[in-house]
């Protein structure tokens, strides 16, 4: 099985690759549109700014390839920034994104300064609907977050889990063969690795 | 709700784990990779490695340690000590660190923080501050001074002013390390931690002085810290990470218990 880890200059891809290895998934890092399109599974991680991320996806010819891969049914896993760029639009730099899921990305904007931005650390997820990738995850399990922007999908059907940080935001979203987490599952201990392990055998689809 | 983090600090010298007391008289206490893995299995939230290797020729040993840790530990960890340039920071990140810590080099050349933040992202840049108590005066209105070289060299910089400057230069988190409290095991510097935590809008990690679970409780509540650094109280087996977390949970502090 060929698992492409998409290189769009957005963060430490090796961490994701190592986490893949830890669960027996052999991921290869690539920036080639042909290799991404030919892969059996695709992971697009990411930290940093979605402005440069989206620009780089365009520059490398990866933007349309990700959309094509989604429509042909390749299982896709987005992580952190990779979960934000699947929506239609982000407030960050007023950028149009992949549009695989209806909705937008907004910035945390709290009057209460005890809620620091970025949201950094371990926080719980509340599972809104069961999903095969969460087979080893329970309601209330904690994952590691680092982000200032959050996703707001239009359809409740795309919300798999939410997390409370002054507001209740969507921390996992999914649609068909796409699954995306706002948290860094590669840095979230065993619970995070379990999602990757399930991804290894996932064919796409939301039936448990 | 966001959990308070327990972070274990591992001082590494020539690839071996060392524990410093007031930054002098350090003593080797084992293999950092093994310790890191032990804490990870026991539910630790995060790790910090400080490379206290004297000679910069031996710095590559640290990169090997980081590579090994990254293969075994799937929680965030940061590395500090000797980060003087974007190149140093990038090497550590590539080797597997999640974040880098800057300290002395940033006090001498504050632009280092901005350069690193630009190159690797604010969230990956932690500013560690070594701080000494002073009489409040015009030079040190907060009553605290920034020191470098493991506490030996006072810099004539006010601690609170430096924290604010560090934040505005792009640091994503602050480690507030009290040199007065470090190694005493008599508790964190609550007043200092709280003062900085209330002034900045980035997370503050309290460091120096932890000896009992009560100390963690104090600094995470009254001290307003987002995370507490522990070292000797767990390194010598007196407490385990899971015991500390359970204790804090029982006192009503939100910590991650399921892992």
């Amino acid at each position: 099985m060929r698992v492409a880890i998409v290189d769009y200059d957005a963060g430490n891809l090796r961490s994701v690759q190592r986490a893949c290895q830890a669960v027996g998934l052999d991921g290869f890092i690539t920036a080639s549109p042909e290799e991404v399109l030919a892969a059996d599974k695709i992971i697009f991680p990411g930290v940093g700014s979605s402005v440069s991320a989206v620009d780089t996806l365009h520059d490398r010819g990866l933007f349309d390839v990700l959309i094509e891969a989604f429509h042909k049914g390749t299982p896709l896993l987005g992580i952190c920034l990779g979960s934000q760029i699947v929506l239609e639009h982000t407030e960050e730099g007023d950028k149009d994104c992949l549009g695989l899921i209806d909705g937008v990305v907004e910035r945390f904007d709290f009057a209460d300064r005890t809620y620091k931005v970025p949201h950094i650390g371990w926080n719980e997820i509340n599972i809104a609907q069961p999903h095969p990738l969460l087979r080893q995850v329970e309601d209330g399990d904690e994952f590691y977050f680092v982000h200032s922007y959050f996703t707001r999908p239009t359809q409740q059907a795309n919300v798999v889990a939410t997390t409370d940080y002054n507001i209740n935001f969507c921390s996992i979203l999914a649609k068909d063969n796409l699954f995306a987490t706002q948290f860094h599952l590669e840095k979230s201990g065993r619970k995070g690795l379990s999602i990757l392990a399930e991804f290894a055998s996932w064919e796409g689809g939301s039936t448990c | 709700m966001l959990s308070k983090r327990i972070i274990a600090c591992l001082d590494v010298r020539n690839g071996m784990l060392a524990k410093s007391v007031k930054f002098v008289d350090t003593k080797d206490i084992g293999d950092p990779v093994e310790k890191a893995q032990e804490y990870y299995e026991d539910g630790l939230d995060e790790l910090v490695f400080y490379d206290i290797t004297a000679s910069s020729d031996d710095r590559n040993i640290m990169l090997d340690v980081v590579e090994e840790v990254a293969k075994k530990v799937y929680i965030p960890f940061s590395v500090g000590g000797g980060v003087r340039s974007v190149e140093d920071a990038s090497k550590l990140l590539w080797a597997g660190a999640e974040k880098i810590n800057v300290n002395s080099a940033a006090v001498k050349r504050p632009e280092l923080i901005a350069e690193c933040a630009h190159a690797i992202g604010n969230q990956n840049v932690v500013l560690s501050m070594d701080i000494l108590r002073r009489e409040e005066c015009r030079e040190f209105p907060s009553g605290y001074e920034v020191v470098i070289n493991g506490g030996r060299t006072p810099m004539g910089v006010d601690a609170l002013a430096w924290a604010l400057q560090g934040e505005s230069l792009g640091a994503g988190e602050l480690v507030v390390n009290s040199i007065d409290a470090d190694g005493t095991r008599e508790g964190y510097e609550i007043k200092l931690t709280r003062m900085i935590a209330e002034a900045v809008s980035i997370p503050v990690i309290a460091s120096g002085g932890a000896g009992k679970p009560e100390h963690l409780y104090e600094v995470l509540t009254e001290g307003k810290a987002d995370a507490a650094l522990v070292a000797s109280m767990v390194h010598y087996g007196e407490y385990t990470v899971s015991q500390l977390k359970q204790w804090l949970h029982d006192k009503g502090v939100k910590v991650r218990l399921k892992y």
Side-chain angles (χ1 to χ4, degrees):
Chain A
M1 187 168 48
R2 294 181 60 73
V3 180
I5 300 171
V6 183
D7 176 6
Y8 55 106
D9 281 349
N12 202 336
L13 304 172
R14 283 184 81 208
S15 300
V16 174
Q17 190 178 34
R18 269 187 287 255
C20 284
Q21 278 158 3
V23 300
L25 202 58
D26 193 14
F28 67 100
I29 295 171
T30 178
S32 148
E34 293 77 22
E35 285 186 353
V36 170
L37 201 55
D40 299 307
K41 294 193 174 176
I42 300 170
I43 302 177
F44 44 107
V47 293
S49 145
S50 44
V51 179
S52 54
V54 170
D55 287 345
T56 307
L57 284 178
H58 279 298
D59 292 346
R60 297 190 176 166
L62 291 163
F63 192 91
D64 294 332
V65 157
L66 283 173
I67 296 172
E68 192 180 339
F70 172 68
H71 289 299
K72 75 173 183 142
T74 308
L76 299 180
L77 177 62
I79 302 171
C80 195
L81 189 62
S83 80
Q84 299 178 354
I85 59 168
V86 302
L87 291 154
E88 295 167 288
H89 188 84
T90 176
E91 242 181 32
E92 189 175 13
D94 193 20
K95 273 276 176 199
D96 284 332
C97 301
L98 295 168
L100 308 180
I101 291 180
D102 295 345
V104 293
V105 179
E106 292 173 11
R107 193 173 207 279
F108 286 129
D109 183 15
F110 303 137
D112 180 354
R113 285 196 50 189
T114 58
Y115 288 93
K116 296 178 176 181
V117 178
H119 170 223
I120 298 184
W122 296 80
N123 205 335
E124 293 170 11
I125 64 162
N126 308 300
I127 299 174
Q129 54 179 309
H131 192 283
L133 294 196
L134 298 182
R135 227 168 254 142
Q136 300 173 54
V137 174
E138 291 168 23
D139 208 37
D141 282 349
E142 296 187 40
F143 295 87
Y144 186 74
F145 290 84
V146 183
H147 62 124
S148 300
Y149 291 80
F150 65 98
T151 61
R152 200 189 272 284
T154 312
Q155 311 286 338
Q156 273 306 305
N158 298 132
V159 179
V160 171
T162 60
T163 292
D164 178 29
Y165 189 60
N166 200 18
I167 58 164
N168 221 15
F169 68 92
C170 172
S171 47
I172 303 179
L173 58 168
K175 184 187 177 186
D176 306 330
N177 49 312
L178 167 65
F179 185 90
T181 67
Q182 178 60 67
F183 49 82
H184 286 272
L185 51 83
E186 78 281 12
K187 291 284 176 186
S188 293
R190 256 181 239 111
K191 298 283 183 183
L193 293 182
S194 84
I195 296 176
L196 266 185
E198 296 291 346
F199 180 68
S201 57
W202 188 48
E203 309 267 323
S206 55
T207 317
C208 288
Chain B
M1 191 183 157
L2 190 63
S3 288
K4 298 285 188 181
R5 284 174 279 162
I6 305 302
I7 303 176
C9 175
L10 303 175
D11 288 342
V12 179
R13 188 180 44 205
N14 301 322
M16 290 299 285
L17 188 55
K19 171 57 196 155
S20 56
V21 176
K22 295 235 181 206
F23 284 104
V24 288
D25 183 28
T26 59
K27 172 180 152 200
D28 290 345
I29 55 172
D31 175 8
V33 182
E34 266 174 40
K35 267 292 187 211
Q37 199 174 3
E38 177 192 323
Y39 296 153
Y40 166 63
E41 307 278 341
D42 197 32
L44 186 74
D45 299 314
E46 192 168 326
L47 283 153
V48 183
F49 296 90
Y50 285 120
D51 184 6
I52 56 169
T53 304
S55 156
S56 55
D57 298 343
D58 297 328
R59 284 270 146 71
N60 287 335
I61 300 172
M62 193 61 201
L63 291 174
D64 295 340
V65 171
V66 171
E67 288 264 0
E68 285 309 305
V69 171
K71 281 183 205 157
K72 291 176 173 142
V73 166
Y74 295 94
I75 52 173
F77 68 92
S78 64
V79 182
V83 177
R84 293 187 181 84
S85 64
V86 167
E87 195 195 346
D88 293 337
S90 303
K91 274 187 195 163
L92 289 166
L93 245 58
W94 181 251
E98 172 84 4
K99 318 171 192 181
I100 56 102
N101 274 265
V102 292
N103 190 336
S104 302
V107 181
K108 291 184 206 154
R109 201 174 66 81
E111 311 84 70
L112 176 65
I113 300 171
E115 289 164 11
C116 288
H118 181 73
I120 64 172
N122 296 35
Q123 74 282 354
N124 293 336
V125 180
V126 182
L127 173 61
S128 282
M129 305 186 295
D130 291 334
I131 298 172
L132 260 183
R133 209 180 297 130
R134 287 278 184 247
E135 288 296 314
E136 279 178 43
C137 60
R138 196 179 303 154
E139 199 182 1
F140 307 116
S142 72
Y144 293 93
E145 180 184 10
V146 176
V147 294
I148 62 167
N149 294 335
R152 286 185 288 269
T153 313
M155 293 302 284
V157 175
D158 180 73
L160 182 59
W162 178 228
L164 290 165
Q165 193 188 347
E167 178 183 24
S168 68
L169 284 167
E173 291 184 277
L174 296 176
V175 173
V176 175
N177 183 43
S178 164
I179 297 293
D180 302 295
D182 184 65
T184 64
R185 313 198 63 186
E186 285 168 5
Y188 298 90
E189 259 275 9
I190 302 294
K191 186 182 154 210
L192 168 70
T193 310
R194 182 179 178 127
M195 176 177 67
I196 292 178
E198 285 182 334
V200 299
S201 54
I202 51 179
V204 165
I205 300 159
S207 166
K212 292 191 288 191
E214 287 84 348
H215 297 150
L216 277 75
Y217 177 78
E218 282 167 13
V219 86
L220 293 171
T221 53
E222 198 189 328
K224 303 220 165 168
D226 298 278
L229 216 68
V230 293
S232 57
M233 68 187 296
V234 294
H235 294 336
Y236 299 108
E238 195 177 347
Y239 296 94
T240 64
V241 170
S242 52
Q243 273 174 345
L244 290 176
K245 291 177 92 173
Q246 187 62 50
W247 192 92
L248 288 166
H249 169 80
D250 293 344
K251 290 276 278 182
V253 177
K254 171 81 165 45
V255 288
R256 180 178 66 115
L257 284 185
K258 295 200 292 174
Y259 42 86

